Amino acid sequence: MEKIKIAIVDDHKLVSKALENMISFNPAYEVVMTCFNGQDFLDELRAREDFPDVILMDINMPVKNGIETTEEITKDFPALKVIALTMEDNEATIIKMLKAGAKGYLLKDMSPEILFDAIDIVHKKGIFYTDLVTQSLLKIKTEEKLTHELHEMLKEREIEFIKLACSELTYREIASQMFLSPRTIDGYRDSVFVKLNVKTRVGIVLFAIKNKIC
């Protein structure tokens, strides 16, 4: 069986080495690139003929950060799949990374099981995210589309809320933009969580990106 080729881009050399060691114990994967900032990675990537399948990308790096690097990868190498790496579960930063083209994110203290599961899901199916509170993995199948039934299930104002949730606006600012009270927006949020079977704003954004709502 052909190994899944992995690239690691992280300015923390100890983290990078720990990830490489973790991956090397699993015969299904192979680390083919290790870089310590986004610009070095892009330069090396453009000089290669053999590309990685999945890129583990740190968000906060010098020279060129993970968001900027992922934007360039999405534009110039759209077939490559990026998983964001972060030390903090900062929702706003993670949403920026997802909108740049990342297929999901991992906290750096994840277990090997979650790491390998995440790589497999992204490589084979497309998108995943770890819940901000429970760290459980929600598998979202790429073949699921925004069907007519789902349009029927979501009200127009809920779809409008989903679009605004993809922005950097706070929930209070979304309420102001939609000319609604913050309490009403909380109701929309809770309703959308239930209908989409997600638990966080990150989950809403992933759904919206995958279904081209935002």
Side-chain angles (χ1 to χ4, degrees), residues 101-187:
K103 303 303 181 185
Y105 78 96
L106 287 170
L107 294 180
K108 289 186 179 181
D109 61 355
M110 76 298 198
S111 67
E113 291 77 20
I114 288 181
L115 172 64
F116 299 142
D117 204 5
I119 291 171
D120 287 341
I121 291 167
V122 166
H123 181 58
K124 296 172 185 174
K125 297 181 179 179
I127 294 177
F128 77 93
Y129 83 100
T130 47
D131 183 81
L132 289 173
V133 178
T134 66
Q135 296 304 302
S136 63
L137 207 63
L138 176 65
K139 300 179 182 180
I140 305 175
K141 298 178 181 177
T142 0
E143 61 267 20
E144 291 174 351
K145 300 298 179 185
L146 188 61
T147 61
H148 174 73
E149 290 78 11
L150 198 47
H151 264 301
E152 289 292 311
M153 182 176 66
L154 288 168
K155 299 172 183 175
E156 286 301 319
R157 292 292 266 173
E158 288 174 336
I159 293 174
E160 184 181 351
F161 165 76
I162 289 172
K163 290 178 180 178
L164 290 170
C166 294
S167 70
E168 295 182 32
L169 296 174
T170 65
Y171 285 129
R172 184 171 290 275
E173 289 168 338
I174 290 173
S176 177
Q177 185 133 338
M178 292 181 69
F179 302 103
L180 297 170
S181 71
R183 179 169 293 183
T184 302
I185 287 300
D186 287 345

